Amino acid sequence: MPTIKEKLAEQIPALREELKNIMKDHGNKVVGEITVAQIFGGLRGVRALVCDTSSVPPERGLLIRGIPIIELADKLPEEVFYLLLTGELPDEESLKLLMADLKKRRKVPEYVWNVLKAMPKDSHPMAMLNTAILVMQRESVFKKMYDKGIKKEDYWIYTLEDAMNLIARLPIIAAGIYRMKYNKGKRIPSDPKLDMGADFAKMLGIKDPNSEFTKLMRMYLVLHSDHESGNVSASTVQTVASALSDLYYAVSAGMNGLAGPLHGLANQECLKFVLDLKKHFKGIPSDEDLRKFAWDWLNSGKVIPGYGHAVLRITDPRFDAFLKFGQTYCAKDQIFQIVEKIFNVVPQVLMEQGKAKDPWPNVDAGSGALLWYYGLKEFDFYTVLFAVSRTLGVSAQTVIARAIGAPIIRPKSVTTEWIKNFVTQQAS
Ligand code: CMX
């Protein structure tokens, strides 16, 4: 059975050949145009990137290598990483090899903890995580080999090394940040008997008598792992990596984008919204009270966290997966019931308001309530969980970009003056 590196080494020549032929035969074909509104509007809908690990058809939601995410919700994060990279789910033997390889790499250098301890106590856990990633840059195998002088066609091999090291270390670092930041006691060491999700759950130190939290962690790591490459975090990783910055630089940069409230931080904002509601109404609000609350919220100029999406036009299937989990394991929990109630009321309000193109819940709308239920109540930590998961996808994307020799990303910008002149010329 091949290792993941051998499997990729088998696949990459054909991938390169295919790409070369597409470029040779069809390089001049026009696939789209861009309007002035798109230039000023965050490039929404502009087809300008290639991402083979996953796709997000607006009416279907996330497909990883063509497989709907809902069909992968019960897989291990390691299986999904294999799928992201190779386009195939691993057989038993390949999975064993991958898991054994990742386990060997579960070592975090002591200086990472020293740097984290030296940070101000009120540092956001995402600032801590991204600092930890950046401070490990000196460990980059790609950087070391690049300095020695390697062939371009071998870049992916050392990027894969960095990816495997980073993926193996991040759950340990994230759990360490959790215990340090919230005074949970000593760090809990990684357990080599456990898979990534179970080990992460154990290192966080959440009581888990029925292994439900372990199940949730595995699912959480799978659901957030990838979402094409146009979103803020993934596109940042790809842009930084395209300068041949190593994966530590690139992932740290991308995860700084994930820390924004319109992106990954929405999950912490979401739970805050739910808790505010519960406090305000001293329990579960009625539909009518919630409608009014949502309108007041919108009228005060705020967005409803966890609702809307730049690409999706349906209820995010990742939200569906969390909802199903909640209905199975904590249907009677008040916080979870408020999440369900918001789902029943808010889309209608957003439709009536008529601004959001997508009035439906995204991945962040429901996950926080489940974490809260199991006792992970420090909601400014939630984006860290997202980041640990998203590193699987963006790392796979970067390995593939290196394998196909993707060039430095450098689109052209124009001035507002240029646009004004352009539209004037068009009019005449
Ligand atoms: N509540 C209120 N207004 C919303 C809204 C929401 N949940 N979603 C969109 N809108 C508004 C926008 O703010 C925008 O208003 P203006 O015209 O006044 O600027 C208008 O509707 C049109 O926006 P859009 O084209 O539908 O949405 P965008 O592609 O510009 O933005 C997103 C997408 C996710 C940033 C936006 O829906 C939002 O802010 N949602 C709340 C935050 C959130 O849940 N983010 C997490 C997304 C998932 C992730 O990346 O992790």
Side-chain angles (χ1 to χ4, degrees):
M1 277 301 128
T3 62
I4 197 159
K5 181 176 155 194
E6 288 161 353
K7 177 88 189 164
L8 284 166
E10 243 171 64
Q11 293 179 330
I12 286 169
L15 191 64
R16 285 181 182 146
E17 191 56 25
E18 188 182 31
L19 191 71
K20 205 173 89 194
N21 290 334
I22 293 176
M23 289 288 276
K24 181 164 69 66
D25 300 337
H26 307 288
N28 292 332
K29 301 253 162 71
V30 176
V31 294
E33 53 181 17
I34 183 162
T35 63
V36 171
Q38 284 174 311
I39 293 178
F40 281 111
L43 301 180
R44 207 73 78 255
V46 176
R47 287 193 185 88
L49 302 164
V50 177
C51 174
D52 287 324
T53 54
S54 67
S55 56
V56 184
E59 311 298 336
R60 287 184 74 191
L62 175 61
L63 310 174
I64 295 196
R65 294 285 190 168
I67 305 178
I69 189 64
I70 210 85
E71 291 174 24
L72 298 168
D74 292 331
K75 299 279 178 211
L76 293 174
E78 292 92 330
E79 290 178 279
V80 171
F81 180 58
Y82 191 100
L83 173 67
L84 283 160
L85 264 174
T86 66
E88 294 167 23
L89 280 162
D91 55 27
E92 213 181 306
E93 198 53 35
S94 308
L95 179 62
K96 246 197 226 158
L97 282 173
L98 173 64
M99 289 173 77
D101 190 348
L102 285 169
K103 281 176 184 175
K104 274 198 311 223
R105 298 169 193 258
R106 286 184 187 167
K107 292 176 210 119
V108 174
E110 198 52 37
Y111 66 82
V112 172
W113 304 119
N114 294 337
V115 168
L116 291 176
K117 277 183 211 147
M119 289 181 76
K121 292 277 165 278
D122 60 355
S123 301
H124 193 280
M126 278 302 283
M128 296 174 81
L129 183 79
N130 296 339
T131 302
I133 297 172
L134 194 58
V135 82
M136 290 191 296
Q137 187 276 333
R138 59 188 288 287
E139 314 259 339
S140 168
V141 179
F142 173 80
K143 161 81 171 89
K144 280 185 196 126
M145 296 308 290
Y146 186 83
D147 287 347
K148 277 192 187 161
I150 43 170
K151 286 189 290 194
K152 191 173 177 187
E153 65 210 52
D154 290 341
Y155 287 175
W156 71 269
I157 298 172
Y158 307 105
T159 305
L160 178 64
E161 280 296 306
D162 283 351
M164 298 281 282
N165 286 334
L166 198 52
I167 286 165
R169 289 174 179 188
L170 274 197
I172 307 176
I173 295 173
I177 290 173
Y178 179 70
R179 299 193 63 79
M180 184 187 299
K181 164 109 186 135
Y182 307 107
N183 302 316
K184 299 283 177 183
K186 283 220 296 251
R187 289 194 302 272
I188 300 168
S190 167
D191 181 342
K193 289 194 292 302
L194 299 179
D195 62 83
M196 184 190 293
D199 193 35
F200 192 24
K202 186 172 175 192
M203 288 187 291
L204 286 165
I206 303 289
K207 285 200 182 66
D208 192 20
N210 309 320
S211 300
E212 285 173 20
F213 184 69
T214 295
K215 259 187 225 144
L216 178 63
M217 274 302 99
R218 288 192 188 118
M219 191 173 90
Y220 197 104
L221 292 177
V222 166
L223 295 183
H224 292 80
S225 60
D226 207 36
H227 215 233
E228 302 188 340
S229 70
N231 61 74
V232 168
S233 47
S235 62
T236 304
V237 172
Q238 290 321 305
T239 305
V240 175
S242 80
L244 291 188
S245 299
D246 58 62
L247 205 61
Y248 294 86
Y249 278 131
V251 172
S252 178
M255 295 310 133
N256 286 328
L258 193 75
L262 295 190
H263 192 13
L265 203 82
N267 57 11
Q268 97 168 46
E269 305 266 315
C270 243
L271 188 65
K272 195 164 166 300
F273 180 75
V274 175
L275 295 177
D276 283 353
L277 264 174
K278 181 168 178 267
K279 195 165 158 207
H280 186 83
F281 292 106
K282 301 187 175 59
I284 304 175
S286 68
D287 286 14
E288 206 33 54
D289 283 345
L290 179 53
R291 264 182 68 80
K292 188 171 174 322
F293 187 92
W295 268 114
D296 290 347
W297 186 271
L298 291 174
N299 289 336
S300 71
K302 290 181 280 197
V303 295
I304 299 197
Y307 280 74
H309 200 273
V311 175
L312 289 173
R313 295 295 176 260
I314 49 162
T315 294
D316 191 331
R318 301 170 298 171
F319 172 82
D320 284 333
F322 281 127
L323 195 69
K324 191 168 150 223
F325 188 99
Q327 284 161 347
T328 310
Y329 295 109
C330 57
K332 295 211 168 71
D333 179 66
Q334 263 205 347
I335 303 284
F336 177 71
Q337 288 179 354
I338 296 177
V339 167
E340 282 188 307
K341 176 140 296 216
I342 296 173
F343 180 38
N344 292 333
V345 171
V346 160
Q348 183 60 35
V349 172
L350 285 171
M351 281 188 257
E352 283 165 24
Q353 192 206 26
K355 271 169 70 173
K357 293 186 193 69
D358 171 42
W360 304 108
N362 59 56
V363 66
D364 295 324
S367 55
L370 304 180
L371 297 167
W372 180 272
Y373 174 74
Y374 289 106
L376 209 164
K377 296 197 166 176
E378 298 77 7
F379 46 78
D380 55 354
F381 186 74
Y382 294 173
T383 312
V384 173
L385 302 175
F386 194 155
V388 172
S389 168
R390 186 49 63 89
T391 300
L392 298 168
V394 296
S395 300
Q397 289 181 16
T398 310
V399 172
I400 292 165
R402 292 271 158 89
I404 60 173
I408 189 162
I409 295 175
R410 202 334 182 163
K412 181 83 187 88
S413 57
V414 293
T415 60
T416 307
E417 201 54 37
W418 184 94
I419 289 187
K420 285 196 306 201
N421 290 338
F422 178 82
V423 293
T424 312
Q425 272 167 25
Q426 294 281 302
S428 63

